[in-house]
Amino acid sequence: MEKNFKLVVEYDGTAYLGWQVQKTGPTVQGELEKAIFAMTRQEVRITGSGRTDTGVHALGQAANFRCETRLTARAFLGGLNSLLPPDIAVKDVCEVPLGFHARRDARSKTYEYRIANAPVRPALLRNFCWHIKSPLSLASMQKTAELFLGEQDFKSMEGAGSPRQSTVRRVSRSEVAPRDGLLVFTVSASGFLHHMVRNMAGLLAAAGRKTLSVEQAAAVLSARDRNLAPATAPAQGLFLVEVIY
C-alpha cells in the first residue's frame, strides 16, 4: 500500500552541505533517505519544504516522502531516529494524503537569524550565531526590520546567480529582539528568495553599526539592485523555525 508521510525535522547544519543531495559530501536529505532505505529497502526521494544552505540549521524543516509500506508513522518516528546521526532528529511523523507536497503546499515559513553582539566571541555558540564585536544599535535594527513588512520586490535581497520569475514576496512578520544574550531577527513570509534572510540580516547589521541609515536601507530595498546591499550574513546564524500548511 502506497503511503505519504510528512516529517518535521530538526538539524544542526554545521557538518552538512545543506539540505539537498549533492554529488559529493553529506547532506540532510541524503542522511534521511539512507535511513528510510534501511527501514523500507526502497530508493525513496524525500521532498523538503525548501533548501537550506551549507551550515544553516533547522528547528522545524518539513518534508514528505511516498513509499509502499505497511509501516506506521509511529514506526518511522522511532526507526528513523534510531538510524540518523545525532545532529539530525525527526520531531514528528504523520501520514498525509497522497497529494500532499511539502514544498508546493507550504503557505508560509518563519526563519530566525541570531547575532551575538559582544566584545568576546562565543565558544559554545560559535556554530549557531554571527559574532559581531562592535556595538549594534537595537533601535536602528528594529526600525530597519519594519521596512521588510508587506508585499514588495526583494530583488536587492536575492542571492546572486539565482534569478526567479518574480522577486515579489509578502512578509507578515519582521522584528529584532534580544533573547538569551543574543539579538534575534525573526521573519515570516509566504516565500523566500535564495539568501534572502541572510541578506536581510546583513542589511540589519549595517543599520545596527550605523554604517547605513534607515533611510539608506530603504533606498537599497527600493533600488532592486543586489550590488547596493551590504555583504551576506554568514550561514551559521540562520535557522528555519517553522513551515505552515
Side-chain angles (χ1 to χ4, degrees):
M1 176 187 299
E2 186 177 31
K3 297 180 180 180
N4 192 10
F5 294 96
K6 174 179 174 286
L7 313 180
V8 178
V9 188
E10 177 180 296
Y11 51 86
D12 171 356
T14 304
Y16 299 98
L17 300 178
W19 165 268
Q20 189 174 17
V21 168
Q22 307 290 328
K23 292 181 180 179
T24 58
T27 65
V28 179
Q29 180 186 15
E31 294 299 323
L32 285 164
E33 289 178 357
K34 285 192 292 185
I36 294 168
F37 178 79
M39 292 188 69
T40 66
R41 294 299 163 186
Q42 296 178 53
E43 296 282 353
V44 170
R45 179 47 48 97
I46 188 167
T47 300
S49 68
R51 304 176 185 179
T52 54
D53 293 329
T54 301
V56 174
H57 317 291
L59 301 175
Q61 167 71 289
N64 78 286
F65 68 92
R66 294 169 59 159
C67 68
E68 297 280 346
T69 185
R70 293 182 179 179
L71 292 173
T72 64
R74 184 176 180 180
F76 274 113
L77 180 64
L80 292 176
N81 281 317
S82 70
L83 293 165
L84 288 165
D87 48 8
I88 303 175
V90 178
K91 297 168 69 175
D92 185 56
V93 182
C94 63
E95 190 172 348
V96 290
L98 290 176
F100 175 83
H101 191 281
R103 178 177 53 81
R104 290 197 298 262
D105 292 342
R107 296 177 60 188
S108 69
K109 297 178 185 177
T110 297
Y111 282 90
E112 286 182 357
Y113 194 92
R114 303 178 182 181
I115 297 173
N117 186 211
V120 178
R121 60 179 174 79
L124 297 181
L125 295 178
R126 67 190 183 280
N127 293 323
F128 305 103
C129 66
W130 179 16
H131 174 233
I132 298 179
K133 186 176 181 179
S134 57
L136 297 174
S137 167
L138 177 59
S140 295
M141 295 175 74
Q142 289 172 329
K143 289 178 182 177
T144 302
E146 292 176 1
L147 299 174
F148 300 138
L149 288 168
E151 185 173 278
Q152 56 185 305
D153 194 327
F154 285 97
K155 180 68 175 176
S156 295
M157 297 291 100
E158 182 182 37
S162 58
R164 305 286 185 98
Q165 188 172 9
S166 172
T167 49
V168 174
R169 296 291 185 272
R170 177 178 292 277
V171 173
S172 57
R173 181 184 181 188
S174 178
E175 58 191 38
V176 182
R179 188 207 303 162
D180 300 328
L182 301 174
L183 295 180
V184 181
F185 167 49
T186 304
V187 58
S188 301
S190 56
F192 291 89
L193 302 167
H194 187 227
H195 286 173
M196 179 172 162
V197 181
R198 289 169 59 191
N199 289 329
M200 287 172 153
L203 191 68
L204 291 173
R209 290 185 177 111
K210 298 292 188 74
T211 58
L212 203 69
S213 69
V214 177
E215 292 74 22
Q216 288 171 321
V220 168
L221 282 175
S222 62
R224 300 181 67 252
D225 186 349
R226 174 71 194 111
N227 294 320
L228 299 179
T232 304
Q236 74 270 12
L238 183 60
F239 292 74
L240 171 56
V241 175
E242 185 180 24
V243 184
I244 300 296
Y245 291 93

